[in-house]
Amino acid sequence: MEPIYEIELTGAGMWSRVISRGKTLRLTDLNGGANVGMLLYHAPERHERYNMPDTLKGQHIFYLRAPYGIHSDMGRLFASITEDTCGWHDTVCGTSDAELVEERYGVHNFQEARNEFYRNGRECFLIELAKWGLGERDLVPNINFFSKVVADVDGNLSYVEGHSKAGDHVDLRFEMDTLVVLHTCQHPLHPSQTYGPRPVKLSVFPNAAPTMEDATMTVRPENARAYRNTLDYYLLSR
């Protein structure tokens, strides 16, 4: 199927759009080693946003993969992961900030490097959020697609290099009208001492409505309940 929308983002790029329910966003890692930091908000009621704790505890997981879902803080389902060639997407490490980037990669500011300056995930989020009337107080824990982070027996987290290969992709089928805010900066735990964020491609396709037998709805009963709450919202609000 041909996409209805497609764009390539350079490393350390940023992007935000509203994607309505009934559409699927495919993220493709073009060269391998990409990271896509993502925040999600209910498009018409932006006080409703992605909730990391509910997403994890409701599905008994530490990381995201197909066929799991992405929950809001209102007990609804933003999106379902319907295809996933990567199999592990970090949910707990947050995003980089200016202090981390300067400490790890050195000073490379706009005054010296112009558009080649070193961006960080937090500022990219804030730039995109400002376009929609949102700001610092609206930042919440984000998802890091394509990045794998594991914990040892003492709870120490470490980044797994080489996890995402060139051509890997993940599909998000949106169950709600959603404001998607994302950047392509490096993961905050990436051990490289070289600044080298990787490019990704974004493609949007139409999709058929899921049924209650869909894999995301059956993998955990909490997902079916959240999807019913989502259906109720649209039944009563339109």
Side-chain angles (χ1 to χ4, degrees):
M1 181 182 296
E2 290 294 318
I4 60 172
Y5 175 90
E6 199 160 63
I7 188 173
E8 291 188 9
L9 297 182
T10 60
M14 55 189 132
W15 181 91
S16 62
R17 297 286 190 281
V18 171
I19 300 180
S20 63
R21 63 197 299 250
K23 294 185 176 67
T24 291
L25 170 64
R26 170 169 291 184
L27 308 173
T28 303
D29 182 349
L30 293 174
N31 297 342
N35 177 70
V36 176
M38 181 180 289
L39 296 170
L40 302 172
Y41 302 82
H42 188 187
E45 300 183 35
R46 294 172 194 160
H47 56 276
E48 181 177 5
R49 61 273 317 261
Y50 164 62
N51 188 285
M52 179 266 277
D54 286 353
T55 297
L56 301 189
K57 71 184 181 184
Q59 300 178 102
H60 300 186
I61 54 175
F62 172 68
Y63 59 93
L64 283 172
R65 60 179 173 82
Y68 288 89
I70 301 172
H71 290 241
S72 83
D73 57 5
M74 297 286 283
R76 295 189 273 254
L77 201 58
F78 270 123
S80 303
I81 300 177
T82 54
E83 280 195 30
D84 178 16
T85 64
C86 207
W88 189 303
H89 306 278
D90 168 51
T91 57
V92 299
C93 289
T95 194
S96 61
D97 60 19
E99 183 178 4
L100 181 149
V101 169
E102 181 174 333
E103 178 182 344
R104 187 168 300 164
Y105 307 114
V107 176
H108 210 62
N109 56 33
F110 179 78
Q111 288 73 21
E112 298 170 348
R114 298 304 179 188
N115 289 334
E116 300 302 318
F117 76 99
Y118 291 169
R119 295 183 182 275
N120 65 80
R122 188 175 190 276
E123 289 179 353
C124 287
F125 277 149
L126 289 174
I127 290 170
E128 289 303 312
L129 288 172
K131 298 174 182 176
W132 303 90
L134 302 173
E136 193 167 14
R137 68 178 183 178
D138 301 298
L139 287 172
V140 294
N142 61 279
I143 304 168
N144 287 303
F145 285 102
F146 300 120
S147 292
K148 181 176 183 178
V149 173
V150 297
D152 64 18
V153 293
D154 295 319
N156 299 308
L157 299 176
S158 59
Y159 181 89
V160 178
E161 290 190 86
H163 169 61
S164 180
K165 308 294 191 299
D168 273 339
H169 71 268
V170 56
D171 286 0
L172 307 179
R173 183 187 64 210
F174 283 90
E175 319 296 4
M176 297 175 62
D177 298 336
T178 302
L179 169 61
V180 181
V181 179
L182 60 84
H183 66 71
T184 56
C185 294
Q186 282 166 287
H187 189 277
L189 295 188
H190 197 294
S192 173
Q193 296 301 306
T194 303
Y195 185 79
R198 307 297 177 85
V200 300
K201 182 169 68 176
L202 313 180
S203 309
V204 178
F205 304 85
N207 62 252
T211 69
M212 295 310 293
E213 287 70 43
D214 182 90
T216 300
M217 311 310 163
T218 58
V219 68
R220 289 294 308 169
E222 290 84 354
N223 289 359
R225 187 168 63 219
Y227 186 59
R228 289 193 188 94
N229 290 340
T230 307
L231 294 177
D232 287 349
Y233 169 82
Y234 285 102
L235 175 67
L236 297 172
S237 65
R238 292 183 176 179

